[in-house]
Amino acid sequence: MAIDGVYSPRELRTVLRHPRDLFEVGRQCVDAAWLGPLGRRRRDTSVVAAEIARQGVSIVPGAVSDDLISQARSDLDEFARQLPTLTGKQRLRSRSTGGSIEYEVHQRQSDQRILRSHDPLAVIPSYLRFLLLPELCSVAASYLGPRWGYQAMIATRTLAGSIDDRSGFSGWHHDARGRKLNVFLLLTDVEPGGTTTVLLRRSHRLLFAERRRMRNFFPEGEVAMVVDAYGFDEYEVAAPAGSLVFFDAHALHRGRRSPHMRDAFQVNLMTRREHWWPHEITRSGFETLEEPERDDLLRRSNLTVID
């Protein structure tokens, strides 16, 4: 074991010497059991899902049309203009480490130079097209199984910043929710060394004791120990606009800032309903969908239709 409370699947016998870790590690083993057949490439498994199972990440370039990229960026421009009138709305959601937390639905994080909506279906019309992309839904079903759902919906404009910024999610962490698939649609080109997500490939198979699930940020020294112990390598998600990025958020990862702005749509996917955040969608947007699409969207989310 590289550090206290962190195990690899090859070290499960070690857990027996730490009885207090058995329940939490056992639950994560059950979560990870779906990855076994994926690694062996079942016939109904997508190539993308199989790559996520092996590496923890997969990128699909050219996943959307230029029209969607243009519309999405225009919608983010409009969101930025309207943000002063949207700020202040608060909502409760489950906390990844237990209990609940109040958060601002539409926010301008001035210290981190980030504009973000946690309810994009209510204010960003093109987000719905992203959410229902066939490739996204297909990979979700292959990787998480038929009970997958939309855990959190997010649209973000990350303004230019310092590459030395270590605030917020710039520190190494896992998402503390067990098996979880995060999906980004990049709306701007992300060059190597740019504003991007960096993760340790294959670290999605690590298992964490409860104390490391509750304290899910890792200092640089611990990350170096994990890398040395298990041979993980850093991978930066650099890709052109229009790429879909899939990564297992159980892996250790961090956001990296740079002097370049990044626009992105994001959705996080899980099977555990107790973790699904509440969201709203305008009735006008909802009624653009066919009835089967409406039913499926409501079934896979904690969603309220608003006038």
Side-chain angles (χ1 to χ4, degrees):
M1 184 168 58
I3 57 177
D4 179 56
V6 180
Y7 303 88
S8 83
R10 296 173 302 197
E11 298 171 325
L12 291 183
R13 291 184 181 180
T14 308
V15 185
L16 298 177
R17 299 199 295 270
H18 302 270
R20 63 177 176 156
D21 296 345
L22 282 174
F23 176 78
E24 183 65 35
V25 170
R27 186 170 68 170
Q28 290 170 35
C29 285
V30 171
D31 274 350
W34 186 255
L35 297 183
L38 280 177
R40 294 192 292 273
R41 293 288 305 278
R42 291 193 333 251
R43 282 179 299 177
D44 63 339
T45 296
S46 76
V47 173
V48 174
E51 184 176 25
I52 305 167
R54 291 193 306 271
Q55 302 290 339
V57 60
S58 184
I59 299 175
V60 180
V64 302
S65 66
D66 290 343
D67 169 67
L68 177 52
I69 296 171
S70 176
Q71 185 60 54
R73 296 204 65 194
S74 176
D75 286 349
L76 276 171
D77 289 341
E78 182 62 24
F79 169 69
R81 284 191 289 269
Q82 293 185 8
L83 189 55
T85 67
L86 298 172
T87 54
K89 185 176 183 179
Q90 302 286 316
R91 193 177 287 162
L92 282 176
R93 64 169 174 81
S94 63
R95 188 195 296 267
S96 61
T97 52
S100 60
I101 185 173
E102 191 173 52
Y103 66 101
E104 192 169 13
V105 177
H106 309 292
Q107 55 188 223
R108 178 189 297 273
Q109 295 178 310
S110 299
D111 56 335
Q112 298 179 44
R113 297 180 55 77
I114 290 174
L115 313 181
R116 178 178 288 128
S117 173
H118 290 109
D119 214 359
L121 288 178
V123 293
I124 299 177
S126 56
Y127 187 89
L128 183 59
R129 293 173 62 186
F130 157 67
L131 204 64
L132 300 180
L133 286 171
E135 179 85 3
L136 189 158
C137 298
S138 172
V139 172
S142 292
Y143 193 70
L144 296 173
R147 294 186 298 109
W148 68 272
Y150 301 108
Q151 182 254 335
M153 306 176 192
I154 306 166
T156 304
R157 169 162 288 176
T158 305
L159 303 177
S162 169
I163 198 167
D164 298 320
D165 188 347
R166 288 292 184 271
S167 60
F169 294 110
S170 296
W172 287 103
H173 64 284
H174 61 85
D175 280 11
R177 294 182 186 270
R179 197 58 49 198
K180 176 168 170 270
L181 186 62
N182 289 3
V183 188
F184 287 87
L185 172 60
L186 300 181
L187 301 172
T188 51
D189 294 337
V190 177
E191 303 290 341
T195 300
T196 187
T197 299
V198 182
L199 74 155
L200 296 184
R201 280 194 293 197
R202 302 183 304 283
S203 66
H204 64 305
R205 293 184 176 272
L206 288 176
L207 304 166
F208 303 108
E210 183 178 13
R211 58 193 175 279
R212 295 318 306 254
R213 182 177 63 82
M214 301 291 284
R215 181 170 62 87
N216 60 319
F217 276 77
F218 281 55
E220 294 283 350
E222 286 187 342
V223 172
M225 292 171 64
V226 169
V227 169
D228 288 343
Y230 304 121
F232 301 144
D233 63 312
E234 286 192 22
Y235 179 81
E236 60 175 339
V237 180
S243 298
L244 274 178
V245 177
F246 299 85
F247 74 93
D248 190 322
H250 195 72
L252 292 175
H253 61 281
R254 67 180 183 91
R256 185 176 63 200
R257 304 301 298 275
S258 82
H260 306 287
M261 185 185 78
R262 186 188 77 170
D263 283 347
F265 286 169
Q266 175 182 350
V267 64
N268 302 337
L269 310 173
M270 287 189 72
T271 59
R272 292 183 180 174
R273 286 179 173 268
E274 66 269 23
H275 289 290
W276 294 2
W277 292 16
H279 295 96
E280 295 178 344
I281 184 173
T282 60
R283 187 168 300 279
S284 59
F286 188 67
E287 290 180 349
T288 64
L289 302 176
E290 299 293 333
E291 187 170 351
E293 291 177 315
R294 297 179 192 176
D295 292 343
D296 196 52
L297 182 59
L298 293 175
R299 178 170 61 90
R300 295 193 184 279
S301 62
N302 182 4
L303 187 64
T304 301
V305 181
I306 59 172
D307 293 315

